[in-house]
Amino acid sequence: MKKLILSVMLAACVAFTANAQTLSFGVKGGLTISKLTQFNDAKVRPSIFAGGFANIAFNESMSLQPELLFSGQGTKYEPLNQTITYRLNYINIPVMFQYRIVPEFYLEAGPQLGFMVSGKTHAGKVTVDISDNTKAVDFGLGFGLGYQFPVGVGIAARYMFGLTNVFENSIDDNKNSVAQIGMFYTFKHQHTASKKRKR
């Protein structure tokens, strides 16, 4: 099922790219504020995200943006006055459908597939690897907004909510809940439609 979802996402990106008017690339990064649901008295864990993206524009209003991001996630909680931090690091592949209300401002929504690269708990000076107790793949949905200045620099915010239980064989349904805020830079647009006409 997970391979099927990834294949469908990749196939959609290829199909949309073939019909794109413009294709551009960029980099992005910023702050993540995450927690796991169903944890009693859970607190957020701040971390970072960073990576790159391709923006496939069909017209002035609609585009598709697949991304490849490193994302630090997890949660904190304090049983018996001791802080325990869950550090869950993912490589995420969101595919966001964007709609521009005006050329600078857009809204977005879409699915995300995440692959866990490390999972650890920290309590004081003690670190425990919990990768074997967590699921390797995470699926979620997200929505957000952004503003891009004419020079290519922009600011964006996004909320991603997981649909997959993070832990194997867990009674509680702990899912990722991640807010992102950061900056991005888009390189010069490549006009694919004009290239086709020249041929």
Side-chain angles (χ1 to χ4, degrees), residues 101-146:
I101 299 174
V102 294
E104 297 83 9
F105 180 75
Y106 65 85
L107 301 175
E108 64 178 8
Q112 173 178 282
L113 198 61
F115 300 90
M116 182 175 289
V117 293
S118 68
K120 297 179 180 180
T121 60
H122 294 260
K125 296 182 179 180
V126 178
T127 300
V128 178
D129 192 320
I130 60 169
S131 299
D132 291 340
N133 299 322
T134 57
K135 292 184 178 179
V137 178
D138 180 71
F139 183 70
L141 296 173
F143 58 89
L145 50 83

Side-chain angles (χ1 to χ4, degrees), residues 141-162:
L141 296 173
F143 58 89
L145 50 83
Y147 186 92
Q148 184 170 7
F149 299 95
V151 293
V153 176
I155 54 176
R158 183 183 297 170
Y159 175 71
M160 302 294 302
F161 58 94

Side-chain angles (χ1 to χ4, degrees), residues 2-13:
K2 295 165 185 174
K3 291 182 179 179
L4 176 62
I5 293 172
L6 181 59
S7 298
V8 170
M9 291 169 66
L10 291 175
C13 291

Side-chain angles (χ1 to χ4, degrees), residues 136-197:
V137 178
D138 180 71
F139 183 70
L141 296 173
F143 58 89
L145 50 83
Y147 186 92
Q148 184 170 7
F149 299 95
V151 293
V153 176
I155 54 176
R158 183 183 297 170
Y159 175 71
M160 302 294 302
F161 58 94
L163 301 177
T164 305
N165 191 349
V166 172
F167 299 107
E168 296 279 7
N169 304 317
S170 174
I171 298 176
D172 296 324
D173 197 13
N174 291 291
K175 298 174 181 177
N176 283 301
S177 173
V178 184
Q180 298 177 345
I181 183 168
M183 300 184 67
F184 63 90
Y185 180 76
T186 304
F187 301 104
K188 186 176 180 181
H189 292 290
Q190 178 181 355
H191 295 276
T192 58
S194 62
K195 281 192 171 186
K196 290 178 182 178
R197 286 195 295 269

